[in-house]
């Protein structure tokens, strides 16, 4: 029986997944709460939200939001970065914020209904911004 807190979390994730056309998923293993807060603060300044997601709830939310491209990315400790319409700026912002933390691994991304791997995220970050 799902609790009210889990329902609220799923509803929040559905809203976030629906509002953001692109996302990057990373393995946050080994980060402290303070380090996660530092990453969130840096990304918030760039208009990117960064949240730790419980995989089961994330998969339910992705299914409800019609974002099946998230499914293969949600395994193991998952943190999802959601940004605006500029995918290159999202990838660059996330990679810049995570660079000091060598133990964080980019798992992949979901861009425009397609799942991309970590190498594609790195290549995407090297593109110039839309401006």
């Amino acid at each position: 029986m799902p609790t009210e807190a889990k329902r609220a979390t799923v509803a929040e994730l559905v809203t976030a997944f629906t509002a953001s056309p692109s996302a990057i998923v990373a393995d946050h293993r080994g980060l402290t709460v303070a380090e996660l807060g530092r990453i969130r603060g840096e990304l918030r300044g760039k208009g990117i939200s960064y949240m730790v997601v419980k995989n089961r709830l994330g998969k339910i939310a992705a299914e409800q939001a019609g974002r099946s491209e998230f499914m293969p990315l949600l395994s193991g400790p998952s943190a999802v970065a959601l940004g605006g319409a500029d995918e290159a700026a999202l990838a660059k912002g996330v990679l810049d914020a995570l660079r000091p933390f060598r133990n964080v691994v980019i798992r992949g991304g979901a861009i425009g209904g397609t799942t991309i791997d970590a190498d594609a995220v790195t290549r995407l970050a090297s593109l110039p911004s839309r401006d």
Side-chain angles (χ1 to χ4, degrees):
M1 185 69 132
T3 65
E4 199 57 41
K6 289 181 182 177
R7 284 191 190 110
T9 301
V10 168
E12 180 183 325
L13 288 172
V14 168
T15 302
F17 289 168
T18 304
S20 180
S22 55
I24 295 176
V25 180
D27 185 336
H28 67 88
R29 194 181 330 247
L31 291 177
T32 65
V33 173
E35 291 169 338
L36 281 170
R38 196 170 111 202
I39 292 168
R40 281 189 184 113
E42 185 176 333
L43 291 175
R44 193 176 305 119
K46 297 176 182 177
I48 300 169
S49 67
Y50 187 78
M51 61 185 92
V52 174
V53 175
K54 189 170 184 173
N55 292 330
R56 184 159 166 26
L57 300 180
K59 287 179 181 180
I60 291 169
E63 184 178 318
Q64 289 180 7
R67 302 290 303 270
S68 61
E69 66 271 16
F70 279 106
M71 300 294 191
L73 298 172
L74 295 174
S75 63
S78 301
V80 179
L82 299 165
D86 191 355
E87 296 88 3
L90 172 66
K92 183 168 175 34
V94 170
L95 290 178
D96 288 346
L98 297 178
R99 188 165 288 122
F101 307 102
R102 301 280 182 215
N103 52 344
V104 177
V105 176
I106 299 292
R107 197 173 295 144
I111 309 289
T114 306
T115 303
I116 61 173
D117 63 1
D119 291 334
V121 172
T122 304
R123 288 192 308 271
L124 186 62
S126 67
L127 293 175
S129 68
R130 291 182 192 247
D131 296 337

